[in-house]
Amino acid sequence: KVIAFDVDFNQVRRAMKYIARRNFAEKVSLFVGDAEHLGFADNTFDAVFDFGVLHHVPNWRATLKEVKCVLKSEGYFLFEEPTKPILDIPLIKRLLDHPEEGLFTADEFKMALKESGFIIRNFKQADGIFIQGVACANV
């Protein structure tokens, strides 16, 4: 079962239409939500996936702590994110809207994972502009 959300109602509506056309409705639940306040009990999920979401969240460090809480003790956090160096390029800044508070370097993200209690299993950087990896809730 997949549970997914977006802060934008229109994106959730688009995803619901896509899921309905492919008969995935029994396997996927969608809702409009806030990454800082997921609204699930602690130890709920086997895995949490972040595909380019956290750099849109001003208080992304709080979101990492929330993710850690909702993961089961053997749970995994899988992530991929662009980092501050690419998002600070003037053309990118002009074309895309990202909150300044949401920008982070690879080192800042890695440190925040550790401070949130994650154990980093895999962490890759692409030219310091993009990160991806896997962190565990516990050893």
Side-chain angles (χ1 to χ4, degrees):
K1 177 97 179 150
V2 173
I3 300 172
F5 73 95
D6 197 292
V7 70
D8 183 343
F9 172 77
N10 291 325
Q11 293 296 349
V12 171
R13 187 174 57 196
R14 284 181 64 205
M16 286 178 168
K17 287 178 185 178
Y18 178 88
I19 288 166
R21 284 193 308 265
R22 283 154 182 81
N23 298 318
F24 293 150
E26 292 179 14
K27 298 177 183 176
V28 179
S29 297
L30 297 168
F31 66 96
V32 175
D34 175 358
E36 291 180 49
H37 309 284
L38 296 173
F40 293 97
D42 291 358
N43 304 310
T44 298
F45 296 102
D46 296 313
V48 172
F49 297 84
D50 160 33
F51 296 115
V53 173
L54 289 180
H55 70 279
H56 292 283
V57 180
N59 196 357
W60 59 273
R61 286 180 173 88
T63 301
L64 285 178
K65 290 177 183 169
E66 179 73 358
V67 168
K68 174 76 166 60
C69 287
V70 301
L71 278 172
K72 292 179 181 176
S73 60
E74 307 83 26
Y76 291 96
F77 175 48
L78 297 93
F79 56 88
E80 67 175 24
E81 287 283 342
T83 57
K84 186 173 174 52
I86 188 97
L87 297 173
D88 266 347
I89 293 172
L91 179 60
I92 299 292
K93 287 179 94 161
R94 183 172 289 151
L95 294 174
L96 304 171
D97 186 27
H98 297 100
E100 282 295 320
E101 307 89 352
L103 305 184
F104 44 78
T105 65
D107 288 340
E108 288 169 334
F109 193 82
K110 190 182 285 189
M111 181 61 70
L113 283 170
K114 292 175 182 177
E115 289 170 356
S116 297
F118 284 103
I119 291 97
I120 299 170
R121 294 288 185 216
N122 190 314
F123 193 94
K124 294 182 181 179
Q125 298 181 53
D127 297 326
I129 60 171
F130 179 81
I131 57 173
Q132 64 181 16
V134 178
C136 299
N138 284 324
V139 179

